[in-house]
Amino acid sequence: MACSLENYPHRRRNLLTGEWVLVSPHRAQRPWQGQLESLPVATRPVYDPQCYLCPGNERAGGHRNPHYTETFVFDNDFAALRLDAPAAQETFGDLLEAHAERGLCRVVCFSPRHDLTLAEMDTDAIRRVVEVWTTQHAELGSFPEIRYVQIFENKGEVMGCSNPHPHGQIWAQETIPNEPWKETLQQQAYYNRTGNTLLGDYLALELRLGLRIVCENAHFVALVPYWAIWPFETLVVSRRPVPSLLELTEAERQGLADILKRLLVRYDNLFQVSFPYSAGFHQAPTDGQQHPEWHLHLHVYPPLLRSATIRKFMVGYEMLAMPQRDLTPEAAAAQLRRLSEIHFRTEPSVTA
Ligand code: H2U
Ligand code: ZN
């Protein structure tokens, strides 16, 4: 069953935030005379003496990286949040309000290899990154000041990533930020009403409909959400309703590495380019409360629309009114589903 509104402008509700997205399927064919953005597939050296993330190199703050061989985590030298901020606030009547925010920022190098991306690393190496995310989440979440841990990656210059060396970031802070806060409220309301997690029931429905599934394994499913905003946006959901990475079994952590590998290879294959995106986990707050309503998931927000050089811009209408998309989520899922899970840059000799 396809969406009964697929030929007409319509709006869809985002289950996780309660917000709406405008879908205009008939516009997908409109002519394009705008910017052609070039994203060359550059070949990079295995080690770059100028890179501040490569093993053994000096960083901007004067610290020197160890000669790490797998993953490496360090405190961000230009952290947006600090633990030593004073507990201060400022208000002007009920009009203006500000509060000091304490927190910590870390950088996670995924690999010593300057030339790889997560999509090009093997599943065992991705699994080690999953382990680091998990232990970092446990460590940062156990600080009494920290109520939310945001693990994310900006990949590609187009997403504002400053360095091609494969890495992600973790920002951990005193309050629950806007996006996970909206999701907390939506998930709580649903859980209180039904006793099930919102994403557990949503996933069961998507598996039954089969329209928006991209790939799956025994523990995780990658799908284009019904309410996707970005053209090829995906949501990776655990089959078992767990609040965070901390509750995953060993087999589930392996399953997460496997689904990431397969999804990211598909993305690279879509336009035969190292696919840019911002991605990150949403998990239960680390505020000392039980969060049975929370269901671990990963959002992947890639900007590309039609080719390696044509991206979706979130501008006028989106900035002023609401998110809007042309390509339907069902069409995007069908395109991603058709792709190979063998990376387009894999040399035949390497796979043999
Ligand atoms: P991006 O992934 O968005 O490019 O960020 C890389 C981070 O690395 C950025 O937050 C940090 C920047 O502050 N960084 C260091 O901590 N040390 C350095 O020597 C350079 C960059
Ligand atoms: Zn490097």
Side-chain angles (χ1 to χ4, degrees):
M1 184 201 67
C3 174
S4 56
L5 296 164
E6 71 183 336
N7 295 317
Y8 302 97
H10 59 276
R11 60 197 167 94
R12 298 189 187 190
R13 191 166 69 91
N14 182 331
L15 266 185
L16 281 169
T17 62
E19 293 170 353
W20 295 83
V21 51
L22 183 66
V23 186
S24 315
H26 56 292
R27 275 177 100 235
Q29 303 310 322
R30 83 199 148 107
W32 172 267
Q33 294 185 314
Q35 178 196 349
L36 279 188
E37 168 189 291
S38 78
L39 291 172
V41 182
T43 48
R44 296 199 298 273
V46 170
Y47 166 78
D48 175 355
Q50 303 303 321
C51 169
Y52 59 76
L53 298 178
C54 274
N57 290 0
E58 197 179 332
R59 300 202 303 274
H63 295 94
R64 188 169 288 280
N65 298 327
H67 290 275
Y68 65 99
T69 55
E70 291 180 343
T71 58
F72 169 53
V73 182
F74 62 92
D75 285 322
N76 197 313
D77 299 308
F78 307 97
L81 292 155
R82 326 172 15 158
L83 269 185
D84 63 0
Q89 58 174 334
E90 165 176 291
T91 52
F92 292 94
D94 52 8
L95 294 178
L96 305 181
E97 180 177 353
H99 301 262
E101 181 81 356
R102 287 175 295 180
L104 281 153
C105 299
R106 288 184 176 165
V107 178
V108 182
C109 298
F110 297 152
S111 164
R113 291 265 307 261
H114 186 79
D115 59 328
L116 295 182
T117 64
L118 273 184
E120 292 158 318
M121 287 162 57
D122 62 35
T123 307
D124 288 343
I126 299 174
R127 165 70 190 275
R128 289 194 287 272
V129 177
V130 171
E131 301 296 340
V132 169
W133 285 331
T134 308
T135 52
Q136 285 294 317
H137 187 86
E139 185 188 323
L140 294 171
S142 69
F143 279 74
E145 299 90 342
I146 299 301
R147 294 191 183 79
Y148 196 79
V149 179
Q150 183 59 57
I151 298 173
F152 66 99
E153 177 188 6
N154 296 321
K155 183 189 165 207
E157 266 172 64
V158 59
M159 296 314 291
C161 181
S162 59
N163 183 326
H165 193 112
H167 69 282
Q169 297 193 47
I170 306 177
W171 294 22
Q173 69 195 83
E174 191 168 1
T175 61
I176 305 171
N178 302 353
E179 295 305 313
W181 178 244
K182 285 183 262 183
E183 295 193 359
T184 300
L185 295 180
Q186 295 293 319
Q187 291 181 99
Q188 261 171 3
Y190 189 87
Y191 186 82
N192 292 342
R193 202 162 67 239
T194 65
N196 296 334
T197 67
L198 176 65
L199 283 184
D201 282 0
Y202 172 63
L203 181 60
L205 175 63
E206 287 291 12
L207 287 168
R208 186 152 61 78
L209 298 174
L211 280 172
R212 286 169 290 271
I213 306 293
V214 176
C215 55
E216 53 184 299
N217 62 29
H219 304 288
F220 282 87
V221 179
L223 54 88
V224 179
Y226 187 71
W227 55 83
I229 291 174
W230 294 95
F232 293 96
E233 173 177 337
T234 52
L235 183 72
V236 176
V237 191
S238 61
R239 287 190 193 261
R240 197 165 63 88
V242 291
S244 76
L245 290 169
L246 303 180
E247 291 80 19
L248 293 180
T249 63
E250 208 179 318
E252 286 169 329
R253 293 198 298 276
Q254 185 68 28
L256 177 54
D258 172 74
I259 204 85
L260 279 174
K261 170 74 182 174
R262 292 165 52 196
L263 178 63
L264 297 179
V265 166
R266 282 171 185 270
Y267 272 139
D268 278 11
N269 287 345
L270 180 61
F271 299 132
Q272 308 259 302
V273 70
S274 186
F275 208 68
Y277 58 77
S278 278
F281 291 99
H282 275 155
Q283 315 186 58
T286 57
D287 56 359
Q289 312 289 314
Q290 290 292 102
H291 285 284
E293 78 282 7
W294 254 96
H295 193 139
L296 167 72
H297 57 277
L298 174 89
H299 292 282
V300 188
Y301 300 136
L304 294 186
L305 172 61
R306 288 201 245 178
S307 70
T309 58
I310 298 181
R311 62 163 294 176
K312 165 73 179 173
F313 287 96
M314 293 287 176
V315 287
Y317 182 78
E318 287 86 352
M319 292 172 119
L320 291 154
M322 72 195 292
Q324 184 272 343
R325 65 179 292 132
D326 298 339
L327 176 74
T328 63
E330 296 70 42
Q335 237 176 300
L336 289 171
R337 215 167 26 236
R338 279 196 295 271
L339 295 165
S340 164
E341 290 186 349
I342 297 172
H343 197 276
F344 75 94
R345 286 168 93 182
T346 307
E347 307 283 341
S349 57
V350 176
T351 44

